[in-house]
Amino acid sequence: MPYRGLPLMSHTPRGVPDRRDPTAGATLVEYALAVGLVALVMVGALNVLESASRDGLEDRAASAGAPDLGPAAPVSSTTVVTTTSVPSDSSTTTAPAVSPTVTMTSSSTNDNSDWVATVVVRVVDPLTGLPVTGATVEGRWSDGATSTTECITSEQGTCPLSSADINLRGSKSVESITLTIVSVTGNGVTYTEVPPSETVDNPL
């Protein structure tokens, strides 16, 4: 005789829906939709807060005099030209020439047949009282030995002018000779006074 025992019991725990229950899948879809809606709401709220914050900052900046936070306005370029004045160099300006002070000292020498007259000329700047160096002195001899000679002043402002040989004895002897200054030029001086002269006597 076949065994007729108790009917087989389902092993599905109580309170746990059967996976084959069609309502379980619908519950998951609804949960996902709810989460998506919440996310959309949060994103919208963040956008609203950001816009409100920006508007508040722009209002505060405008009231405080700060530049607008919006798009920057085009700035026109400005070229600044700087003019530099260069002072003139006074060393390149030629000072006007002055008329120097000229003094002369005479002497003579002989060799028993001829004699030579010598005049030492000294040139001094009248403004400073200092000797004039490098000035050209031109003189003219006369009275028996006419000739022109010149010299250049030294650091002491002096230079000698000597005559040619002059007859010392005999009928052609010369008792004296005179030197007249023709010009003094160079190194900031030009002689404009009455030409001075110096007479040198025969040494005998």
Side-chain angles (χ1 to χ4, degrees), residues 111-179:
D111 59 1
N112 293 326
S113 60
D114 298 318
W115 66 284
V116 175
T118 301
V119 176
V120 176
V121 181
R122 187 168 189 267
V123 181
V124 177
D125 187 333
L127 300 179
T128 63
L130 298 176
V132 178
T133 303
T136 300
V137 180
E138 182 181 3
R140 179 180 295 111
W141 294 99
S142 61
D143 295 341
T146 303
S147 62
T148 301
T149 183
E150 66 180 26
C151 63
I152 299 177
T153 58
S154 64
E155 293 182 358
Q156 289 74 34
T158 60
C159 67
L161 293 174
S162 297
S163 69
D165 291 343
I166 306 170
N167 290 328
L168 180 64
R169 302 176 186 275
S171 59
K172 296 182 178 181
S173 64
V174 177
E175 297 298 325
S176 65
I177 189 173
T178 301
L179 174 70

Side-chain angles (χ1 to χ4, degrees), residues 95-102 123-132 187-190 193:
V98 299
S99 183
T101 301
V102 176
V123 181
V124 177
D125 187 333
L127 300 179
T128 63
L130 298 176
V132 178
N187 202 6
V189 297
T190 297
E193 304 297 328

Side-chain angles (χ1 to χ4, degrees), residues 45-62:
L46 289 176
N47 289 333
V48 171
L49 289 175
E50 180 182 0
S51 177
S53 298
R54 181 177 180 84
D55 293 340
L57 289 176
E58 290 180 351
D59 293 340
R60 292 180 182 179

Side-chain angles (χ1 to χ4, degrees), residues 31-112:
Y31 179 76
L33 289 175
V35 171
L37 290 174
V38 171
L40 289 175
V41 172
M42 292 179 65
V43 171
L46 289 176
N47 289 333
V48 171
L49 289 175
E50 180 182 0
S51 177
S53 298
R54 181 177 180 84
D55 293 340
L57 289 176
E58 290 180 351
D59 293 340
R60 292 180 182 179
S63 63
D68 189 6
L69 296 178
V75 179
S76 60
S77 60
T78 303
T79 302
V80 178
V81 179
T82 303
T83 303
T84 303
S85 60
V86 179
S88 59
D89 187 0
S90 59
S91 62
T92 60
T93 303
T94 302
V98 299
S99 183
T101 301
V102 176
T103 57
M104 294 181 286
T105 303
S106 61
S107 63
S108 62
T109 58
N110 68 84
D111 59 1
N112 293 326

